[in-house]
Amino acid sequence: MVKEKENSKFPPLVDGKSQYDLTSGKYLRVWQGPQHPGITGNMSLELTICGDEIIDCKTHVGYLHRGFEKLMERRKYIQCFPVVCRICVPEPDFNEYLFAACTEELAGIQIPERAEWIRTLNLEMARLTSFLMWIGGQAGSFGMGTIGQWTVTLRDYMLDLFEELTGGRIYHMYMLPGGVRADFPPGWINKLLDTLKTVEKTLDDVELAMMHNAVFKMRAKGLGIITPDMVDKYGITGPNARAAGVARDIRKDSPYLVYDKLDFEIVTGTKSDAYGRCEVRIKEMYQSIDLIRQIVEKMPKEGPFFTKLPNVLHWRIPAGHTYKRAECTRGEYGFYVQSDGSDKPRRTYVRGPSYTHAVALMEHLAIRTNIADTAGLMVSLHTYPPEIER
Amino acid sequence: MTEFNELSRQFQISDLKEQRADLHFFHASKEHAVAVLTSLKEKYGYTHLVFFTVVDHLEKNEFHLTYMLHNYEKHHDMGVVVKIARENVQMESIHHLWPAAATYQQEIREMYGVEFPGSPGLYENFALEGWEDIPPMRRDFDTKEYSDKTYYPRPGRESHDPREYMKENLYPGEAETW
């Protein structure tokens, strides 16, 4: 924490907390949100400001609380699938995959090899789609709305592909226990490769227009610095940690699906500020494009994609508990599922990366930033509120 | 497992279970749980608190507090389960080990009613506002009853049988010939 100078305009800090008197007239309390410019969803920041600088920040969630975990306690395993994908709007596939993987592990089901490849392809497409949405928010929060329009168009092209493959644009319900729901439609792979070319071309433009923009550099550099020693303290994962030089990527460290058969390196940065995190994410977008191409090339062209299951409406999963994790765009996404031997899960816990990033970390990083940069800081942490309150 | 064998000499821990090669669970007593977590973090490299949650076993009158820790060097997960009775439930806070744990504890207090004395912001609202009923994630909380009590049934919109409606309103003259 910054050491206070004498006669500083900021109130004194005691145990890392500002000691201020709101009635003194020097400070103002403002609310940003629940329609917050810095996130996809609803969340509020209660900010106390001195001039235009933030001296205290409190995150308020609950605007999207739909009680998914409670809902799942009363639903059969197969009935949970339309519920889980709704936990994270821009990246629902990770919920589907993790819940399916936990169920398979507890029930002792082995899925066909081709299903694993298709799932990996789906997850990488979801990562790319989510990043395309994020970059729109990041550019928009620093006044570069045009870039957001380019990337949201690209996201729509990706959603077209999802629609053709799964029948749904946003929520796919494609990965079920036992494999995936359908094979590729005829000609779909070619459309995917064409779309990737378009995305790659526009990404070059985005990188040029955004990362070399003087205003963006001035505002994003040094904003919300995460140091490597904060990573474990605050449970920081994903690009937020990798930008600080912490080379941790679940796809590489504990490979799931077919990531051990793919060739890629962990992308790291040297400084985790808003600019550094942006650099890492853009590199990861190129990485996702490359991984999708590798998957298309290496995957078995024919074979089963679904294992026969018992009657899912009377399906009892043996008692036990497990935890599965995957690397989504924001960090570690995990599902803890406990079964008591009945046809409904006893407990499902969703570990969303935004849980730690948007609450404890945001409250820490917001101090001493300018109120105009709050939205930029928020997007640079890449958080989605629905996975905080589940 | 080395960690478990060494810890079991000092602390009351039991029931080691291997779920996968990279995931183990064991039970720890309420009194020794925080000491076990501290040892796992400081001595055995389990530096990442993946999550902290509660599983309600109403029929046994128990809460199972589940701490999941991860070791980034061995890429191994350790789940520590602490069984505690459901009445007047209190547990030692772990916010001194991981500042992010305060958020988990704040949520658990709100959703399950488990108290963590000394945890920062414990009594502030997390997802709920002005909640006066029993904590909603407990299994004895009846969501259906709550919803019937809190919200009134709204009369649905007026609806018609399409065939009859068309007969009577749209084509009154032709209806007799149908």
Side-chain angles (χ1 to χ4, degrees):
Chain A
M1 206 50 79
V2 184
K3 201 177 174 202
E4 295 303 319
K5 288 178 203 158
E6 274 183 38
N7 302 323
S8 159
K9 69 171 178 172
F10 298 113
L13 291 171
V14 177
D15 292 338
K17 285 267 170 203
S18 289
Q19 305 295 307
Y20 55 85
D21 175 17
L22 265 184
T23 55
S24 67
K26 270 181 82 179
Y27 311 105
L28 187 65
R29 182 163 288 171
V30 288
W31 281 68
Q32 275 198 337
Q35 316 298 334
H36 195 278
I39 31 144
T40 320
N42 303 99
M43 195 177 110
S44 281
L45 293 180
E46 184 185 351
L47 305 171
T48 308
I49 52 171
C50 178
D52 57 1
E53 293 202 37
I54 297 163
I55 57 164
D56 197 12
C57 171
K58 178 91 191 75
T59 307
H60 290 272
V61 295
Y63 302 96
L64 290 164
H65 183 68
R66 287 161 286 177
F68 291 120
E69 290 176 358
K70 186 80 179 172
L71 284 173
M72 282 192 260
E73 286 178 6
R74 290 185 174 219
R75 275 163 177 72
K76 295 183 177 180
Y77 282 88
I78 202 71
Q79 291 174 321
C80 290
F81 276 86
V83 175
V84 286
C85 53
R86 283 164 169 81
I87 296 172
C88 178
V89 186
E91 217 173 355
D93 307 75
F94 282 88
N95 295 287
E96 293 172 15
Y97 159 65
L98 289 165
F99 191 67
C102 285
T103 316
E104 282 155 5
E105 188 180 307
L106 291 172
I109 295 170
Q110 181 68 39
I111 64 165
E113 195 200 345
R114 188 144 183 274
E116 292 197 339
W117 283 91
I118 299 179
R119 280 184 178 185
T120 319
L121 177 74
N122 218 275
L123 292 185
E124 277 309 314
M125 281 173 62
R127 280 174 58 86
L128 183 59
T129 313
S130 168
F131 273 138
L132 286 169
M133 190 159 171
W134 158 82
I135 206 165
Q138 183 71 83
S141 63
F142 287 116
M144 295 180 284
T146 320
I147 294 175
Q149 291 173 13
W150 298 345
T151 56
V152 170
T153 313
L154 296 177
R155 176 172 181 266
D156 246 49
Y157 293 152
M158 294 299 291
L159 295 186
D160 289 345
L161 291 168
F162 274 120
E163 188 178 11
E164 201 174 334
L165 178 65
T166 67
R169 288 179 77 76
I170 307 291
Y171 303 124
H172 310 131
M173 287 163 267
Y174 181 63
M175 293 182 232
L176 300 178
V180 294
R181 210 152 36 80
D183 205 344
F184 303 131
W188 185 84
I189 289 286
N190 289 338
K191 279 187 198 166
L192 170 66
L193 295 174
D194 286 348
T195 309
L196 289 186
K197 269 187 208 161
T198 319
V199 173
E200 201 171 22
K201 193 166 168 287
T202 316
L203 259 188
D204 293 343
D205 293 342
V206 169
E207 201 181 358
L208 202 66
M210 189 167 165
M211 303 308 286
H212 299 284
N213 183 309
V215 177
F216 180 64
K217 272 187 180 174
M218 274 169 65
R219 290 184 65 183
K221 282 199 171 182
L223 176 64
I225 298 171
I226 297 172
T227 52
D229 64 302
M230 285 165 69
V231 168
D232 281 338
K233 265 167 72 180
Y234 287 94
I236 303 167
T237 51
N240 291 342
R242 288 197 284 278
V246 181
R248 290 173 183 169
D249 190 322
I250 300 162
R251 295 174 298 172
K252 203 78 179 168
D253 297 340
S254 327
Y256 49 97
L257 293 173
V258 294
Y259 279 107
D260 50 346
K261 294 171 190 160
L262 301 174
D263 179 26
F264 66 103
E265 294 293 323
I266 301 178
V267 178
T268 52
T270 48
K271 187 181 182 188
S272 184
D273 54 7
Y275 189 83
R277 293 192 278 272
C278 199
E279 266 181 330
V280 167
R281 290 200 180 100
I282 288 186
K283 281 181 195 159
E284 289 199 10
M285 287 167 86
Y286 284 113
Q287 187 189 55
S288 281
I289 295 174
D290 180 47
L291 284 174
I292 296 173
R293 286 179 179 147
Q294 281 189 44
I295 294 165
V296 169
E297 199 186 312
K298 291 180 183 171
M299 74 183 293
K301 301 291 176 274
E302 279 178 355
F305 53 84
F306 201 78
T307 314
K308 200 169 180 324
L309 295 179
N311 184 343
V312 287
L313 293 175
H314 304 286
W315 196 18
R316 289 177 182 277
I317 304 286
H321 51 166
T322 190
Y323 176 70
K324 291 286 246 184
R325 57 157 65 84
E327 185 76 30
C328 75
T329 47
R330 303 170 307 291
E332 175 179 346
Y333 212 105
F335 263 63
Y336 169 76
V337 178
Q338 185 171 130
S339 168
D340 50 9
S342 73
D343 55 354
K344 301 181 185 80
R346 158 74 58 165
R347 176 88 170 99
T348 311
Y349 177 80
V350 185
R351 195 261 180 221
S354 306
Y355 194 86
T356 46
H357 295 167
V359 187
L361 180 65
M362 180 64 197
E363 286 176 7
H364 177 80
L365 292 180
I367 310 289
R368 301 290 153 89
T369 57
N370 193 296
I371 192 166
D373 291 334
T374 334
L377 170 64
M378 194 82 211
V379 193
S380 81
L381 297 175
H382 200 185
T383 54
Y384 291 142
E387 68 192 28
I388 303 171
E389 48 217 44
R390 290 126 30 229
Chain B
M1 192 184 189
T2 332
E3 290 94 332
F4 181 81
N5 294 337
E6 286 181 18
L7 285 170
S8 63
R9 283 185 216 124
Q10 296 174 56
F11 305 113
Q12 290 168 7
I13 54 173
S14 58
D15 302 327
L16 178 73
K17 188 191 166 217
E18 181 181 296
Q19 177 64 28
R20 285 194 307 267
D22 62 349
L23 173 63
H24 284 76
F25 287 98
F26 67 80
H27 289 252
S29 73
K30 184 184 172 187
E31 293 72 29
H32 289 186
V34 174
V36 170
L37 294 171
T38 313
S39 297
L40 283 171
K41 183 186 175 220
E42 304 294 342
K43 201 171 160 193
Y44 297 103
Y46 287 84
T47 52
H48 175 43
L49 175 70
V50 183
F51 68 82
F52 172 30
T53 190
V54 175
V55 185
D56 188 357
H57 288 260
L58 181 62
E59 65 286 358
K60 295 182 198 159
N61 200 26
E62 277 174 357
F63 277 140
H64 290 193
L65 269 57
T66 309
Y67 301 83
M68 182 67 71
L69 309 184
H70 184 69
N71 184 328
Y72 275 111
E73 275 163 26
K74 293 184 188 165
H75 305 304
H76 184 268
D77 285 300
M78 192 73 92
V80 182
V81 180
V82 184
K83 290 183 183 176
I84 49 176
R86 288 174 93 249
E87 284 89 25
N88 301 323
V89 50
Q90 261 199 10
M91 183 64 197
E92 218 176 309
S93 169
I94 52 161
H95 71 276
H96 58 288
L97 297 172
W98 293 277
T103 319
Y104 290 101
Q105 292 174 165
Q106 191 187 346
E107 189 191 4
I108 289 173
R109 196 211 55 89
E110 189 172 88
M111 295 293 174
Y112 287 93
V114 182
E115 303 276 343
F116 297 91
S119 180
L122 189 68
Y123 294 98
E124 288 170 19
N125 289 327
F126 186 73
L128 307 174
E129 227 168 61
W131 186 262
E132 286 171 358
D133 216 317
I134 63 166
M137 280 295 283
R138 287 187 177 218
R139 279 180 93 85
D140 46 357
F141 175 74
D142 190 337
T143 40
K144 175 79 171 61
E145 188 195 321
Y146 175 80
S147 135
D148 289 344
K149 196 173 66 188
T150 316
Y151 308 105
Y152 54 90
R154 281 189 299 182
R157 284 180 298 179
E158 196 185 350
S159 64
H160 307 274
D161 174 35
R163 191 180 159 84
E164 294 301 316
Y165 186 77
M166 282 177 74
K167 261 190 193 177
E168 289 161 15
N169 292 295
L170 296 177
Y171 310 104
E174 294 169 27
E176 286 162 16
T177 62
W178 284 18

